[in-house]
Amino acid sequence: AALVSFAVWPHAAKATKIEIGPAFLVEALVTLVLVWVVLNVATSKDNENNSFYGLAIGGTVFVGAVAVGSISGGGFNPAVALGLSISGQFDWANLWLYIVAPLVGAAIAGVLFRVLSSSDARVPSSNDEKVAA
């Protein structure tokens, strides 16, 4: 995708300048919100057979990019950040931030989902098949 982007957008003259602290915070926070939305609309039993999950996820990414894109560049995903680094939009020295912050945010979202949505977060066990039979 990063290589295809060269055909669409010219190579950046210089990478986006960021302040590490605020950028880390917003990358982790928006990733937390994004993963929370994905877990609730795409995996929750309360929303089976829904058709709105794409809109909810896309809307979350859009709002995150508009709200904090000027602070961090709006990676929210290590793969996206790698592509933006390859295309020169992000400084290679900051790539660690775009890997660690989303992992932190996603881990917190996963724990929160497991705790707050315990009926959805239950992992099926081999005993479930025996009980159903």
Side-chain angles (χ1 to χ4, degrees), residues 9-72:
W9 296 287
H11 188 72
K14 62 181 185 173
T16 304
K17 297 287 183 193
I18 62 166
E19 291 185 41
I20 298 298
F24 190 95
L25 179 65
V26 299
E27 285 286 319
L29 184 61
V30 172
T31 302
L32 184 151
V33 171
L34 177 59
V35 171
W36 178 262
V37 168
V38 169
L39 290 171
N40 278 285
V41 300
T43 69
S44 176
K45 294 174 188 170
D46 293 337
N47 297 315
E48 288 182 4
N49 301 320
N50 73 59
S51 59
F52 64 86
Y53 59 87
L55 183 60
I57 295 166
T60 303
V61 172
F62 174 75
V63 169
V66 170
V68 301
S70 63
I71 297 170
S72 68

